[in-house]
């Protein structure tokens, strides 16, 4: 039986204290996974074929376009033909668990491949070697076909119920991600309202936060009901929100940060953040 050196943790006690220490032992070696080796070999062959396809199509289409434009622009545009269907094939692989989402990149990849093959065939016709154009176009078709076989082989088969379950999980995760920018937008909108109230409260002569209640002080924490709960944002975030809302005076920013965070900030800290924002704004 074949063995291989490995490390195991074993208990070792010294002076009544036990620790797990590593020791070197010979463990039985697992049998060689020929299926995995063959799959790696096929993937390597597909990568070589794909590289050859990109080189050939770029040279062929670049020479075709070079008859009308300068060579750097011609070859730069030529590489797009193969990169387009390669990118679509990659997106199709990423959406392999959702057949509906994978259908669009699959169709787009086939269209991009057909366009690239037509361009290669056109180069052969223009050059006077239509046979070379046909064979060269088949190189791109074989490359995409080989990669399609490899990727389909690595895609695990799923029944309809499992696919539906996965789509439901992805939908829940997508809804959570979609709510993030929505919450940020709502927070920015509410922050603008709060900043406007703070600015108006700073500029009033009567010192009242509510004209219907002139006996209340503007410094009363209950003077305004704010949607942003104290403690939700820190001083730096509150200064950024105040800046985005149009506040440029340090004193007004200090007042706004105190309302939003629920505690009086350091005026020096607020002033430092404001200076950084002014420097960035130029």
């Amino acid at each position: 039986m074949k063995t291989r050196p490995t490390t195991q943790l074993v208990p070792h006690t010294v002076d009544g204290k036990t620790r797990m220490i590593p020791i070197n032992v010979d463990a039985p070696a697992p049998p060689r996974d020929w299926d995995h080796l063959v799959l790696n070999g096929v993937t390597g062959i597909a990568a070589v074929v794909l590289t050859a396809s990109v080189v050939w199509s770029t040279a062929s289409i670049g020479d075709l376009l070079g008859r009308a434009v300068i060579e750097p622009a011609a070859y730069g545009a030529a590489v797009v033909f193969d990169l387009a269907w390669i990118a679509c094939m990659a997106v199709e692989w990423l959406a392999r668990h959702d057949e509906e989402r994978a259908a669009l990149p699959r169709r787009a990849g086939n269209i991009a491949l057909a366009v690239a093959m037509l361009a290669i065939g056109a180069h052969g016709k223009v050059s006077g070697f239509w046979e070379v154009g046909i064979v060269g176009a088949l190189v791109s078709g074989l490359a995409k076909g080989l990669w399609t076989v490899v990727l389909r082989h690595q895609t695990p088969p799923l029944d309809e119920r499992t696919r539906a379950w996965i789509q439901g999980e992805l939908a829940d995760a997508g809804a959570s991600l979609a709510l993030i920018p929505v919450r940020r937008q709502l927070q920015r909108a509410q922050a603008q309202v709060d900043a406007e109230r703070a600015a108006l409260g700073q500029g009033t002569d009567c010192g009242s936060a509510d004209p219907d209640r002139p006996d209340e002080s503007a410094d009363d924490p209950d003077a305004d009901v704010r949607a942003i709960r104290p403690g939700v944002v820190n001083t730096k975030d509150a200064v950024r929100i105040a800046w985005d809302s149009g506040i440029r005076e340090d004193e007004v920013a200090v007042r706004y940060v105190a309302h939003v965070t629920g505690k009086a900030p350091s005026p020096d800290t607020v002033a430092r953040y404001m200076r950084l924002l002014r420097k960035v704004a130029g």
Side-chain angles (χ1 to χ4, degrees):
M1 181 178 61
K2 294 183 178 181
T3 61
R4 64 176 181 179
T6 185
T7 302
Q8 292 183 353
L9 295 177
V10 297
H12 183 67
T13 303
V14 176
D15 196 19
K17 188 174 183 179
T18 302
R19 291 182 180 274
M20 301 298 292
I21 61 173
I23 61 172
N24 296 324
V25 296
D26 291 331
R32 188 178 298 275
D33 189 352
W34 290 104
D35 290 345
H36 185 68
L37 292 176
V38 171
L39 181 59
N40 287 340
V42 172
T43 304
I45 293 173
V48 173
V49 172
L50 181 63
T51 303
S53 171
V54 173
V55 172
W56 175 265
S57 63
T58 301
S60 178
I61 301 175
D63 184 64
L64 175 65
L65 299 178
R67 301 169 185 268
V69 297
I70 59 176
E71 287 190 356
Y75 286 95
V79 74
V80 175
F81 284 81
D82 267 1
L83 291 182
W85 64 261
I86 292 173
C88 291
M89 187 172 58
V91 176
E92 179 186 353
W93 163 255
L94 295 176
R96 62 191 179 276
H97 299 303
D98 190 340
E99 188 63 28
E100 294 183 359
R101 295 179 60 193
L104 178 59
R106 183 182 302 116
R107 290 194 299 268
N110 292 334
I111 294 173
L113 175 64
V115 172
M117 294 177 67
L118 288 174
I120 297 174
H123 173 258
K125 181 179 180 180
V126 171
S127 301
F129 301 97
W130 61 268
E131 302 90 345
V132 176
I134 294 177
V135 174
L138 291 177
V139 173
S140 295
L142 291 174
K144 187 178 189 304
L146 180 57
W147 268 106
T148 300
V149 172
V150 173
L151 296 181
R152 287 295 179 89
H153 176 76
Q154 298 189 33
T155 301
L158 300 175
D159 57 86
E160 292 298 327
R161 291 188 177 184
T162 303
R163 289 183 183 274
W165 184 87
I166 292 177
Q167 291 177 3
E169 290 292 304
L170 292 175
D172 292 341
S176 300
L177 290 175
L179 286 176
I180 294 176
V182 173
R183 291 194 184 101
R184 289 176 179 173
Q185 185 177 2
L186 292 175
Q187 188 179 30
R188 285 195 299 267
Q190 187 60 47
Q192 292 179 357
V193 174
D194 293 340
E196 183 69 17
R197 291 177 179 174
L200 293 176
Q202 180 73 16
T204 54
D205 295 331
C206 61
S208 174
D210 191 342
D212 295 333
R213 293 179 292 173
D215 55 331
E216 283 192 356
S217 170
D219 296 329
D220 188 354
D222 295 331
D224 289 317
V225 179
R226 301 190 178 273
I228 302 178
R229 299 189 308 276
V232 173
V233 296
N234 54 28
T235 301
K236 183 177 180 180
D237 294 336
V239 173
R240 164 64 70 175
I241 295 173
W243 179 272
D244 293 339
S245 302
I247 295 178
R248 296 296 182 267
E249 296 79 12
D250 293 351
E251 296 78 6
V252 180
V254 170
R255 177 184 175 85
Y256 175 73
V257 172
H259 277 291
V260 177
T261 61
K263 58 182 179 181
S266 170
D268 294 336
T269 301
V270 175
R272 184 173 69 254
Y273 288 145
M274 293 292 285
R275 285 196 300 270
L276 291 175
L277 291 172
R278 292 190 188 97
K279 184 181 297 184
V280 172

